[in-house]
Amino acid sequence: NRFLAYCRVATTADEHSKATPSSEGQWELLRLVQADLVNAGLVQADLELLEQGYLVANVPATPGLEHRPKLAFFAHVDTAHDFSGEGVKPVVHQNYSGAPITFAANSKL
């Protein structure tokens, strides 16, 4: 699942960096999303990864509706340095009932 892969990328901000995005992990996530969009069929020419850390994807209209406007998606990674993004292990709860969720690895959650 792509979303779970995105969650696993350590994107913690570097509070000492003057760059935007501030960490290599943030660039890694942007490149991963960019590659997934290409693999999903979006033409590389319709994608632009800007030096400020924005990924812009222009999705053309459905064939036969080319006269309609394109759809644009903008992705920007911006995470806080207050919490670590290292070692994230996302958990999917299939058929979630609404009951409280507990985590064996961290009773504080």
Side-chain angles (χ1 to χ4, degrees), residues 9-95:
V9 177
T11 58
T12 305
D14 178 353
E15 65 181 308
H16 303 293
S17 175
K18 301 279 188 224
T20 302
S22 67
S23 72
E24 181 53 37
Q26 293 169 342
W27 283 110
E28 179 185 344
L29 178 57
L30 285 164
R31 289 189 296 268
L32 180 60
V33 172
Q34 183 179 28
D36 282 346
L37 288 169
V38 169
N39 290 335
L42 198 61
V43 178
Q44 185 67 37
D46 289 327
L47 290 169
E48 186 175 8
L49 181 53
L50 304 175
E51 65 183 47
Q52 299 86 359
Y54 292 94
L55 177 60
V56 181
N58 290 299
V59 180
T62 303
L65 298 172
E66 290 86 356
H67 63 285
R68 304 296 299 191
K70 289 183 176 183
L71 176 64
F73 289 101
F74 298 88
H76 173 68
V77 293
D78 188 15
T79 56
H81 62 270
D82 302 279
F83 298 97
S84 174
E86 297 287 333
V88 172
K89 297 175 185 163
V91 176
V92 175
H93 297 273
Q94 298 291 337
N95 303 314

